[in-house]
Amino acid sequence: MPDRGDESPICWPIASLIEAYREGLLSPVEVADEVLARIDRLNPSLHAYLVRFDDLTRGQAREAAAAYRAGRALPLSGVPVSIKDTFPLAGAVTTFGSVVHRQNHTLHDSGVVRRLRVSGAVFTGKTNTAEFGQ
């Protein structure tokens, strides 16, 4: 495993995280669980996450773990990523940081989200933003 001291894998550079996944020293499922536990611990005071995708997160992490085992991992397989609320994600509410859009259920991924999805990233949730991204 890459030598990162006592630092949690969720703080590692992406290259180190992917290397540990490829070598089978760390599982995307373990990292996803750690990310969700950290959100549980910190979000009540930070209010960074508007919504979490626990089921999606765990499902994508399991898919990434299987992809590494099969030797078909994508460039970002297993890398946890939060989606800023200015970027539409299919099936989620996208408020653009405004109460005006609190019921805005988006049907399609934005270009950024689509590229992250096809690269194997693991979505953890939507994070807060200034109104309309200002």
Side-chain angles (χ1 to χ4, degrees):
M1 184 173 309
D3 183 14
R4 303 294 306 164
D6 293 332
E7 197 173 284
S8 164
I10 64 175
C11 297
W12 293 359
I14 291 172
S16 297
L17 192 60
I18 290 172
E19 179 184 343
Y21 291 159
R22 282 195 178 121
E23 293 177 7
L25 301 172
L26 185 63
S27 165
V29 175
E30 294 173 285
V31 174
D33 286 341
E34 188 169 338
V35 168
L36 294 175
R38 183 178 172 95
I39 295 167
D40 280 341
R41 193 171 59 254
L42 297 177
N43 202 54
S45 62
L46 296 177
H47 307 286
Y49 278 81
L50 297 174
V51 63
R52 291 171 39 166
F53 305 135
D54 293 24
D55 292 340
L56 177 63
T57 302
R58 290 186 176 107
Q60 288 176 322
R62 285 190 300 271
E63 289 172 13
Y68 280 106
R69 285 192 303 273
R72 53 177 178 76
L74 299 167
L76 294 177
S77 284
V79 175
V81 176
S82 63
I83 305 299
K84 200 54 120 169
D85 194 38
T86 54
F87 297 103
L89 186 141
V93 170
T94 300
T95 70
F96 305 101
S98 175
V99 296
V100 172
H101 294 289
R102 69 178 165 250
Q103 301 298 319
N104 181 32
H105 294 273
T106 51
L107 301 176
H108 305 284
D109 290 339
S110 69
V112 170
V113 171
R114 186 174 50 254
R115 288 187 289 280
L116 286 168
R117 191 184 298 274
V118 300
S119 295
V122 172
F123 299 151
T124 57
K126 297 285 290 273
T127 54
N128 220 334
T129 186
E131 189 167 26
F132 301 113
Q134 298 293 317

